[in-house]
Amino acid sequence: MKRILKIAMILALMATGVSCVERQDFDQYQDLEITPTVPASLLYYEVSETAINNLPPGVFGFSEDYNFDAFNEDFIADRVIEGSITYQVVNTTSKSLDIMVTYLDENGIILDSADLSVGPAINEPIVLDDTVEYNQADTQRIIRNISSIRLSVINRGDNASQSTLDDPKIILKSSAEFKIRLK
């Protein structure tokens, strides 16, 4: 009987319009800010120690440009708030190496660059991690204009030594993260 009475009271309250639900404010959309962080792979490069031994020590032994138009869309370039590029170099060779990553516009003008130096691997791999942070103006300038990425390597070691580690090579990975305003 008490159960029936409780149900009747609930139904009576519902019928009279008493409610615990607030009036919906659909104008909140105007205050909504959506700014996800979007990751993107940029560059992966791998070269064996044998190939590095073929580079003359102390001078630019290798330089190559890669076409890169991934971010040229206005939707991305106009909405970017900030960004960063992370580099990771893994060296299992017996060589000290300087690696330059250069971002170029379509006329070959340098937009930005990163210089990475890594020492020789003696008994274990050498891992270098580096992150470059960019403000909104720099991020937009680079994203809007990037046309190619130049990778240059200088062998600071010799041409004869060989690492005792298995499959000695240098690996460069880079990725970017951008905070983008969607609305």
Side-chain angles (χ1 to χ4, degrees):
M1 183 70 170
K2 287 184 180 181
R3 187 173 185 193
I4 294 174
L5 187 57
K6 284 182 184 178
I7 292 173
M9 286 177 60
I10 291 171
L11 289 174
L13 285 172
M14 289 174 63
T16 60
V18 176
S19 169
C20 296
V21 177
E22 291 183 32
R23 180 180 168 105
Q24 296 299 308
D25 179 7
F26 292 105
D27 292 330
Q28 291 177 4
Y29 173 77
Q30 303 304 323
D31 300 330
L32 184 63
E33 289 189 31
I34 301 172
T35 54
T37 300
V38 179
S41 292
L42 291 179
L43 190 62
Y44 179 90
Y45 180 75
E46 184 176 311
V47 65
S48 69
E49 184 167 40
T50 304
I52 294 170
N53 277 337
N54 292 329
L55 301 177
V59 297
F60 279 105
F62 172 84
S63 184
E64 189 167 338
D65 290 6
Y66 301 93
N67 184 36
F68 191 83
D69 295 321
F71 303 129
N72 289 2
E73 294 296 323
D74 287 341
F75 175 80
I76 295 172
D78 292 341
R79 295 174 183 261
V80 129
I81 297 172
E82 62 189 16
S84 66
I85 298 176
T86 300
Y87 303 93
Q88 183 181 64
V89 180
V90 179
N91 187 7
T92 57
T93 73
S94 62
K95 313 290 182 246
S96 291
L97 299 164
D98 290 337
I99 301 169
M100 281 70 54
V101 180
T102 307
Y103 302 96
L104 306 164
D105 70 8
E106 64 185 24
N107 297 316
I109 296 171
I110 296 173
L111 299 169
D112 196 29
S113 63
D115 296 327
L116 308 164
S117 294
V118 62
I122 306 300
N123 295 320
E124 60 185 43
I126 301 294
V127 178
L128 170 70
D129 291 307
D130 190 23
T131 300
V132 179
E133 304 283 338
Y134 294 98
N135 62 31
Q136 184 174 4
D138 286 338
T139 303
Q140 287 180 344
R141 178 181 55 81
I142 293 168
I143 285 177
R144 185 179 311 278
N145 297 302
I146 188 170
S147 179
S148 63
I149 300 173
R150 176 175 296 149
L151 180 64
S152 304
V153 178
I154 298 175
N155 177 1
R156 295 287 182 199
D158 60 25
N159 291 96
S161 64
Q162 192 71 26
S163 175
T164 58
L165 299 173
D166 290 337
D167 192 23
K169 59 185 154 194
I170 188 89
I171 298 172
L172 168 68
K173 301 178 211 177
S174 66
S175 61
E177 284 192 349
F178 302 108
K179 188 181 273 189
I180 298 176
R181 182 181 54 255
L182 293 183
K183 182 184 152 268

